[in-house]
Amino acid sequence: MNFSLDTPSATTLKAEAKHLRAERALAGAPLTHGAALEEVAHSHGYRDWNTAVAALPERVATPVQVGQRVKGTYLKQPFTGLVIGVQLLSDMQHYKVTVKFDKPVDVVTSELFSSFRQRVTATVDIHGISPAHTSDREPHMRISRL
């Protein structure tokens, strides 16, 4: 198993229980879902599953974290930079991400003038892709971890 060393979330423990059930089924010793949850809770030092769920932090997956180095495109221009802000939006499916670029990015496609940005804020989904698009259907931002 390859699970996080951070304080686990209920989702992580459920994934461990599912893995445990699959292992036991292959070994010929099937385990009920409830029994697997209890065993995983015990392995993490909790009295039972209900105690574990009550004590565990609620977590929401994020595409990037503050302080993380990232790469991607902004208005079709490649960048690398540092995430300096992440905010979960009210729909619980999108994030407002603020990135400080290593080198300013020219956000204008015209050859007549330039407009450089070094810090931008964009809305992205869990995959790091902006729901807003340019006129040629390219996402405003694509972001991923370095």
Side-chain angles (χ1 to χ4, degrees), residues 28-140:
L31 194 60
T32 67
H33 182 65
L37 291 173
E38 294 293 329
E39 192 167 324
V40 167
H42 287 276
S43 74
H44 283 272
Y46 297 101
R47 185 181 69 213
D48 56 31
W49 175 250
N50 290 334
T51 304
V53 171
L56 293 171
E58 288 188 35
R59 291 211 183 138
V60 177
T62 60
V64 293
Q65 296 177 353
V66 172
Q68 192 168 44
R69 303 276 312 145
V70 293
K71 64 181 179 178
T73 57
Y74 180 69
L75 298 177
K76 299 191 279 185
Q77 302 299 319
F79 71 83
T80 58
L82 180 70
V83 176
I84 58 174
V86 177
Q87 178 184 4
L88 177 63
L89 300 181
S90 62
D91 67 1
M92 302 293 286
Q93 295 184 22
H94 291 92
Y95 303 84
K96 187 186 293 186
V97 177
T98 303
V99 178
K100 182 180 182 297
F101 299 143
D102 293 337
K103 296 178 183 172
V105 172
D106 189 359
V107 297
V108 177
T109 57
S110 171
E111 294 181 16
L112 300 175
F113 70 99
S114 295
S115 181
F116 289 92
R117 301 284 187 269
Q118 184 145 16
R119 180 185 296 196
V120 298
T121 299
T123 299
V124 298
D125 63 15
I126 187 64
H127 305 291
I129 300 172
S130 177
H133 293 85
T134 59
S135 59
D136 61 354
R137 304 298 301 154
E138 270 298 307
H140 284 184

